[in-house]
Amino acid sequence: MFIRAYLRASTGEQDANRAREELQLFAETKTIRIASFYVETQSGAKIERAELGRLIEDSHPGDVLLIEKVDRLSRLPFEQWKLLKGQLIAAGIHIVVVDQPMTHAILDNTVENSMIAKVLTEFMVDLAAAMARDDYETRRKRQAQGIEKAKALGKYQGRQPDHELRQNIRLLLDDGKSWSQVQSLLKCSRSTIAKAVKKH
């Protein structure tokens, strides 16, 4: 059984590696070792995610997908969540969620615990995935309402660009750094780099 940790952030301005230490501490308390980390910057509301796809492809039946919270795995609408869950089930991957203790029993290799854990995990993850999607939609709705209210008051200016970040991107590119190197050094998305290049 290999433990594969999945770390995700929605934007380049967030740090996907933030939860790495928490997952490592969890692994130590359970006396397990994380075989590999899969880190990406992509919305949890999108089903197509390169690193998650690579994790599924790399996995063997019985391997564990370790995540901090269910919303790191999914903020998908129900039908898309069913598709993703189907891929995980077809690959024989077990999900362990750090903040969902009922999912931890899968790490105990006894047959009885494994069977109970599978049933509980599926129920808990389905419930948490639905809650994560609901939270995502609620926040987007409130954001849209806030923007409409600001527009009505003549106060909405839109999202302002990070001029310092864009300047640093241009400096690194001018210094001969590749887009991938810039992305790694500044922890920004490729779309942010593209915008900096376009403005320049």
Side-chain angles (χ1 to χ4, degrees), residues 110-163:
T110 66
V111 174
E112 184 183 354
N113 274 357
S114 290
M115 293 303 293
I116 294 168
K118 283 176 189 175
V119 174
L120 286 174
T121 296
E122 186 169 343
F123 171 74
M124 293 301 296
V125 171
D126 275 345
L127 180 63
M131 290 171 67
R133 178 63 188 184
D134 183 61
D135 176 64
Y136 171 78
E137 289 179 346
T138 299
R139 286 191 293 110
R140 283 178 66 89
K141 185 178 177 182
R142 285 179 182 160
Q143 183 183 33
Q145 289 171 340
I147 289 171
E148 285 305 312
K149 185 176 179 182
K151 281 181 179 176
L153 296 171
K155 294 180 179 179
Y156 181 69
Q157 297 178 342
R159 188 174 177 182
Q160 300 303 304
D162 185 335
H163 296 293

Side-chain angles (χ1 to χ4, degrees), residues 49-67:
R49 281 173 265 159
E51 283 300 288
L52 181 57
R54 191 168 71 86
L55 184 152
I56 294 171
E57 211 171 274
D58 290 348
S59 295
H60 302 282
D63 284 357
V64 167
L65 163 59
L66 178 65
I67 48 177

Side-chain angles (χ1 to χ4, degrees), residues 31-172:
T31 61
I32 58 173
R33 190 173 71 83
I34 297 172
S36 52
F37 286 87
Y38 297 76
V39 184
E40 71 185 334
T41 302
Q42 183 62 268
S43 171
K46 293 184 178 178
I47 194 166
E48 294 298 330
R49 281 173 265 159
E51 283 300 288
L52 181 57
R54 191 168 71 86
L55 184 152
I56 294 171
E57 211 171 274
D58 290 348
S59 295
H60 302 282
D63 284 357
V64 167
L65 163 59
L66 178 65
I67 48 177
E68 172 198 13
K69 298 179 179 179
V70 170
D71 68 4
R72 298 301 86 199
L73 180 61
S74 174
R75 288 183 182 276
L76 297 166
F78 179 68
E79 289 304 316
Q80 289 190 343
W81 163 242
K82 280 203 307 186
L83 285 175
L84 176 57
K85 190 175 84 166
Q87 291 175 21
L88 295 168
I89 290 171
I93 299 170
H94 304 301
I95 302 170
V96 173
V97 189
V98 172
D99 78 344
Q100 298 278 346
M102 291 177 81
T103 68
H104 302 176
I106 203 73
L107 298 171
D108 182 340
N109 284 322
T110 66
V111 174
E112 184 183 354
N113 274 357
S114 290
M115 293 303 293
I116 294 168
K118 283 176 189 175
V119 174
L120 286 174
T121 296
E122 186 169 343
F123 171 74
M124 293 301 296
V125 171
D126 275 345
L127 180 63
M131 290 171 67
R133 178 63 188 184
D134 183 61
D135 176 64
Y136 171 78
E137 289 179 346
T138 299
R139 286 191 293 110
R140 283 178 66 89
K141 185 178 177 182
R142 285 179 182 160
Q143 183 183 33
Q145 289 171 340
I147 289 171
E148 285 305 312
K149 185 176 179 182
K151 281 181 179 176
L153 296 171
K155 294 180 179 179
Y156 181 69
Q157 297 178 342
R159 188 174 177 182
Q160 300 303 304
D162 185 335
H163 296 293
E164 185 179 351
L165 175 61
R166 288 187 178 184
Q167 184 178 8
N168 288 335
I169 289 170
R170 290 194 293 268
L171 285 171
L172 288 171

